Amino acid sequence: MSSCHALALRQVSQLSRRPLPLHLLPSFSSRPTVRGPSALSKSVFSRSSIRSASTSSDSAGDSRSLVTRLKNLLLGTSIAVALAFGYYYITDTRAGVHQWVVVPSLRWLYDDAEDAHEAGTTALKVLHRFGIHPRERGNPDGKGDLEVEVFGHTLCNPIGTSAGIDKHADIPSPLLALGPAIIEVGGATPYPQDGNPKPRVFRLPSQNALINRYGLNSEGAEYVAMRLRQRVREYAYAMGLGIDEEAERIILDGEAGVPPGSLVKGKLMAVQIAKNKFTPDDDIEAVKRDYVFCVDELAKYADIIVVNVSSPNTPGLRSLQRMEPLTNILTGVVEAARKAQRKTSPKVMVKVSPDEDSEEQVGGICDAIWESGVDGVIVGNTTKRRPDPLPMGYTLPEKEAAVLLEQGGYSGPQLFESTLALVKRYRRLLDEGPREQMSKSERPKDSLKPRGGPTSGVNPDAGLLEKIEASKNSSKPSGKSPTRDDSQTKLAENIEAGRKRDEARLKAPTDQNSEDSKSQSLIRLPQRNSPFASNADSTATAVPLSASHHLSPELQSTFTTHSDHAKEGGSSLIDTAKEKVSSAVDSVTGSLGRGPSPLGDDFNRSSVPAQPVKTKASGKGEKVIFATGGITNGKQALEILEAGSNVAQIYTALVYGGLGTVSRIKGELREEMRKRTS
């Protein structure tokens, strides 16, 4: 048998996996074999059998290969679909995994809250680098139903994040992708500082609250500025503008059509600054230099500069909220911000403490805001106070009760009510304008003229002046409001009592004392406390009340002619006296400025027109308010906005609610708005 025949037989044997019979095995004899007719027929039969077996085995192998390919294709498609679905699900802020899986996992893996926060920050930074970071999908703000105007920018929504979430400006772009219209990074100090020793952040899970005493740990203003500059240049490179200084200038000057801080249309980025811990608090000039240095480094990369004077974890910092030092510091910051190396300067806001809530403290801060030309205020920070647990009567676990005794600033849902009340107070005071008297040059010409009649040469009714002075003290709200009839009766009695007292005390008028009375100051009302000086300019000298400002001869004759009718309580006297006294009050308001009548609403008929709020060139227009502290849902955000805030900022809610918190709050906000309009 030839070698080819032997090879074919071996292949058939392998295919059939059965041993060949002995008579079919080839013999390798050196001598050639002579084949006869019978041998030849056997050989032909064997070849046809081999061809048939080979064809059937090839068909079976092809079938098995096709099935395998289909299985692999199905498996690969399933894996691709699962990966795509998982990618879109996990990178969508609306996914529940961010709140119910990621947050509990971080708390379980890291006992220290600061370590968990740093791990989350690092994860966001790495994911963003590869483009697989969580983001708000679907453009829910595209409808424009939540748009607000802040500092001349139309923001896509009124929700922001507070400082502390991104202390070193590591993740501004990933934060903006989560959906807020405002992010606040920092705070940055002039020189790097470590802050307070660890552990310095403590959880209260049952309250969704935190206590922290970071102590303004910072990598330094220069380092933060370098990181923000790199971000701007990378954006310029992605836009095809290059990565050099000229490309940076184009972006910062707004030629790319986006804000120079956020680099996202319809959104803004605030950079918080603070002083170093080792800078003496009593050296105001040194403190101001700290803030100005930070502005010089960071202003051109920020849309808003936030001056932090309210951290409870830096000794002495909150003492800077007194009016005099605060005005000095803010004035320096505003001047430095205007020198930012770009076409438009960043706005300046001051962040104030929720613990400085007395009338004097709030009023002093508002005065400093107007005096310095600051553009707005961020109401709220962590508090040194320890609120009661929620819900009312809840007993904290032993571990959390011990945490509650830790030093540091408290943040959590319990702060909402105090934040809401404080926002209302700041809005009211800021809308009233500076607590100053307008200068004479700013007043209308008519308001500079006396409103009373001609000088009579007779001493004024001292009793009337006393009543005006007394009415200022009695104008405070009381438990029961007097009725109209009571006011009229009391007025008639007071006029008659004053007339009798004056007859007994006053000497007969002479030419000499009549002339002296024209220029003599009888009483000077305090500028700040006068009910007439609510919109006045404190730089102007108070106008003294003299005889020519009060009573006309007609009013004097009224007191004399109708004295008998006053004793009988005649209604004609009441009406006449009411009209004349109203005219006299108009005289006072004409000389001192517009204000509520001290004699009640019935007499508030001053002809002096109400004047618009006078502001300095550095602080024109309505002041902007951001609110932070205890805001956890859309309903609370709406209440804060209705109270007068322009933006509602969140911090602790994001820590406990996960990366989808902003999207959730905006959804709840829309739902609340629909409920109120339906």
Side-chain angles (χ1 to χ4, degrees):
M1 188 181 292
S2 66
S3 60
C4 292
H5 190 197
L7 180 61
L9 290 176
R10 288 195 184 94
Q11 291 177 348
V12 172
S13 176
Q14 290 175 358
L15 289 174
S16 62
R17 294 183 179 180
R18 280 184 276 178
L20 291 175
L22 293 177
H23 68 275
L24 292 179
L25 290 176
S27 74
F28 297 96
S29 174
S30 57
R31 293 181 300 172
T33 304
V34 178
R35 300 182 182 180
S38 60
L40 182 60
S41 61
K42 289 182 180 179
S43 175
V44 172
F45 177 77
S46 299
R47 289 176 183 176
S48 61
S49 300
I50 292 172
R51 288 194 193 99
S52 177
S54 175
T55 302
S56 61
S57 62
D58 288 344
S59 299
D62 291 342
S63 300
R64 285 194 296 269
S65 176
L66 179 60
V67 172
T68 302
R69 290 194 192 112
L70 289 175
K71 288 182 178 179
N72 292 339
L73 178 61
L74 181 61
L75 179 61
T77 303
S78 301
I79 293 175
V81 170
L83 289 176
F85 176 79
Y87 166 75
Y88 279 98
Y89 176 77
I90 293 176
T91 58
D92 192 332
T93 55
R94 295 170 296 180
V97 66
H98 298 300
Q99 180 177 4
W100 306 113
V101 177
V102 176
V103 172
S105 297
L106 286 174
R107 289 214 307 261
W108 179 72
L109 291 172
Y110 299 95
D111 290 333
D112 190 300
E114 184 176 0
D115 291 341
H117 185 90
E118 291 178 354
T121 300
T122 302
L124 270 181
K125 188 175 182 180
V126 172
L127 291 173
H128 183 265
R129 185 178 303 165
F130 292 100
I132 54 176
H133 58 286
R135 68 205 72 182
E136 189 173 55
R137 296 190 179 277
N139 191 24
D141 295 330
K143 298 179 293 184
D145 54 342
L146 296 182
E147 285 185 349
V148 293
E149 186 172 339
V150 175
F151 298 134
H153 296 270
T154 300
L155 303 185
C156 57
N157 65 76
I159 306 300
T161 61
S162 296
I165 293 177
D166 186 12
K167 297 183 73 67
H168 310 301
D170 288 309
I171 52 171
S173 295
L175 280 181
L176 286 167
L178 299 180
I182 298 278
I183 63 167
E184 183 183 354
V185 302
T189 56
Y191 293 98
Q193 63 182 24
D194 294 330
N196 294 320
K198 295 182 179 182
R200 52 193 179 187
V201 185
F202 308 92
R203 303 186 187 105
L204 292 164
S206 70
Q207 303 298 300
N208 286 344
L210 292 173
I211 294 176
N212 87 80
R213 51 169 181 262
Y214 277 111
L216 286 172
N217 56 310
S218 172
E219 295 176 342
E222 291 178 321
Y223 192 86
V224 174
M226 179 184 67
R227 189 170 284 154
L228 294 177
R229 178 171 60 251
Q230 180 67 18
R231 176 173 175 263
V232 170
R233 295 197 177 189
E234 288 178 355
Y235 179 84
Y237 183 79
M239 296 291 292
L241 301 174
I243 201 167
D244 56 2
E245 292 184 3
E246 178 60 19
E248 178 184 339
R249 182 200 63 77
I250 293 174
I251 300 299
L252 296 181
D253 285 345
E255 297 178 16
V258 294
S262 69
L263 304 180
V264 180
K265 189 175 182 180
K267 300 187 178 185
L268 299 176
M269 182 179 73
V271 179
Q272 185 188 115
I273 60 175
K275 80 174 190 69
N276 276 116
K277 188 175 182 179
F278 53 76
T279 303
D281 304 313
D282 53 356
D283 189 347
I284 300 301
E285 290 302 317
V287 172
K288 183 168 72 172
R289 284 195 297 270
D290 273 14
Y291 286 101
V292 169
F293 177 85
C294 292
V295 174
D296 292 340
E297 293 292 329
L298 297 165
K300 63 180 179 178
Y301 303 113
D303 300 311
I304 305 168
I305 291 292
V306 179
V307 181
N308 184 359
V309 290
S310 57
S311 171
N313 303 310
T314 301
L317 185 64
R318 289 191 170 184
S319 65
L320 301 177
Q321 293 178 101
R322 299 193 309 271
M323 179 182 174
E324 293 80 7
L326 184 59
T327 302
N328 194 356
I329 293 168
L330 295 181
T331 300
V333 169
V334 170
E335 292 175 354
R338 289 176 183 166
K339 300 175 183 177
Q341 298 175 4
R342 70 185 200 202
K343 285 185 178 179
T344 59
S345 59
K347 301 300 182 180
V348 178
M349 303 184 75
V350 57
K351 191 164 191 173
V352 298
S353 165
D355 298 334
E356 272 62 41
D357 55 357
S358 69
E359 286 297 329
E360 181 181 1
Q361 290 168 327
V362 174
I365 291 172
C366 291
D367 288 343
I369 290 172
W370 285 111
E371 183 69 22
S372 62
V374 165
D375 302 288
V377 58
I378 297 181
V379 177
N381 204 331
T382 56
T383 176
K384 288 184 176 180
R385 300 167 183 169
R386 295 295 182 263
D388 295 330
L390 292 176
M392 297 297 293
Y394 177 79
T395 302
L396 290 175
E398 184 177 352
K399 182 178 179 180
E400 293 188 17
V403 168
L404 204 61
L405 301 178
E406 293 285 351
Q407 292 183 352
Y410 184 99
S411 58
Q414 296 93 333
L415 302 185
F416 173 73
E417 293 298 333
S418 61
T419 301
L420 181 65
L422 205 55
V423 166
K424 292 179 180 179
R425 292 170 62 187
Y426 272 100
R427 175 51 68 197
R428 174 176 57 83
L429 291 176
L430 290 175
D431 285 351
E432 289 176 359
R435 296 192 298 178
E436 313 177 292
Q437 288 186 344
M438 291 185 295
S439 63
K440 290 186 178 181
S441 62
E442 292 176 310
R443 298 179 191 170
K445 293 182 180 180
D446 292 342
S447 68
L448 299 177
K449 299 177 182 179
R451 288 286 175 180
T455 304
S456 64
V458 181
N459 285 330
D461 179 15
L464 178 61
L465 294 178
E466 291 178 3
K467 286 191 288 289
I468 293 176
E469 187 69 18
S471 66
K472 291 188 300 178
N473 298 327
S474 63
S475 62
K476 299 179 179 179
S478 58
K480 180 181 179 182
S481 300
T483 64
R484 182 182 177 93
D485 294 338
D486 292 341
S487 300
Q488 293 177 346
T489 304
K490 186 175 181 180
L491 175 64
E493 294 174 352
N494 289 339
I495 291 176
E496 178 59 20
R499 187 191 66 78
K500 290 182 178 180
R501 183 173 60 252
D502 294 341
E503 287 180 351
R505 292 190 308 183
L506 298 180
K507 298 179 180 179
T510 63
D511 294 339
Q512 181 64 32
N513 60 29
S514 295
E515 291 296 327
D516 292 342
S517 67
K518 294 179 182 180
S519 59
Q520 182 181 6
S521 299
L522 300 178
I523 184 172
R524 186 185 300 271
L525 298 178
Q527 298 177 21
R528 178 59 56 84
N529 299 325
S530 170
F532 304 108
S534 60
N535 294 329
D537 189 347
S538 64
T539 58
T541 304
V543 180
L545 303 181
S546 61
S548 61
H549 286 142
H550 303 300
L551 303 182
S552 63
E554 186 180 0
L555 184 58
Q556 291 285 348
S557 63
T558 301
F559 292 151
T560 305
T561 305
H562 297 280
S563 60
D564 295 336
H565 295 284
K567 294 178 182 179
E568 299 173 3
S571 61
S572 61
L573 174 60
I574 294 175
D575 296 337
T576 305
K578 194 169 132 182
E579 180 180 354
K580 300 302 181 180
V581 172
S582 177
S583 177
V585 172
D586 287 347
S587 302
V588 179
T589 57
S591 61
L592 291 179
R594 173 84 171 175
S597 170
L599 297 179
D601 294 337
D602 294 335
F603 297 94
N604 196 7
R605 302 177 187 147
S606 173
S607 59
V608 181
Q611 300 299 320
V613 174
K614 299 290 183 179
T615 60
K616 299 187 177 181
S618 59
K620 290 184 178 180
E622 180 184 276
K623 299 300 182 183
V624 172
I625 295 179
F626 293 176
T628 179
I631 303 170
T632 58
N633 55 56
K635 182 179 180 180
Q636 291 177 337
L638 184 57
E639 290 183 41
I640 286 289
L641 297 172
E642 291 177 335
S645 179
N646 301 88
V647 172
Q649 292 182 291
I650 60 173
Y651 171 64
T652 312
L654 187 61
V655 172
Y656 279 94
L659 301 180
T661 303
V662 175
S663 297
R664 175 180 58 81
I665 289 178
K666 290 194 297 183
E668 293 170 350
L669 179 58
R670 290 187 176 93
E671 184 63 28
E672 286 295 325
M673 293 170 62
R674 279 194 292 268
K675 288 180 181 178
R676 300 194 181 191
T677 56
S678 60

